[in-house]
Amino acid sequence: MNQDEALRTAVALLHQSRRDDEPELAVDADRAHIQDGLLIVPYNSTTYLASRNVRDQLLDCWPILVDLTTGQARFGRLHERHLWRGNRA
């Protein structure tokens, strides 16, 4: 799976998982990166992504991880923080 396909997979997962009571969310494609065979795709509210103002940022938006070999996508977990901590994500 290439990076563009993986990004589309992440967008689909985010869309499918969104609840009606949540603000509009979007992936942060500019900050997506590959590490350990995974595309790591951060996301946040569309308001934050447009403004980059920390006051608009939602907390607890763990990135989406897409396995580039299998195409499986899921949200990151606590024990995987090393994959995105200290990165731009």
Side-chain angles (χ1 to χ4, degrees), residues 9-24:
T9 300
V11 169
L13 176 63
L14 184 61
H15 179 73
Q16 292 168 356
S17 68
R18 185 173 175 264
R19 297 184 323 253
D20 290 338
D21 63 342
E22 289 181 319
E24 187 175 345

Side-chain angles (χ1 to χ4, degrees), residues 1-11 13 27-43 62-76 80 83-84 87-89:
M1 169 173 274
N2 68 38
Q3 188 168 343
D4 289 337
E5 292 169 325
L7 188 58
R8 286 192 296 273
T9 300
V11 169
L13 176 63
V27 300
D28 191 350
D30 292 340
R31 295 192 176 174
H33 65 281
I34 296 173
Q35 185 170 330
D36 295 346
L38 300 168
L39 181 65
I40 301 170
V41 185
Y43 69 94
W62 295 58
I64 298 167
L65 308 179
V66 183
D67 186 306
L68 295 173
T69 301
T70 66
Q72 292 183 332
R74 60 183 173 73
F75 291 95
E80 298 170 314
L83 294 171
W84 62 85
N87 288 311
R88 297 182 305 155

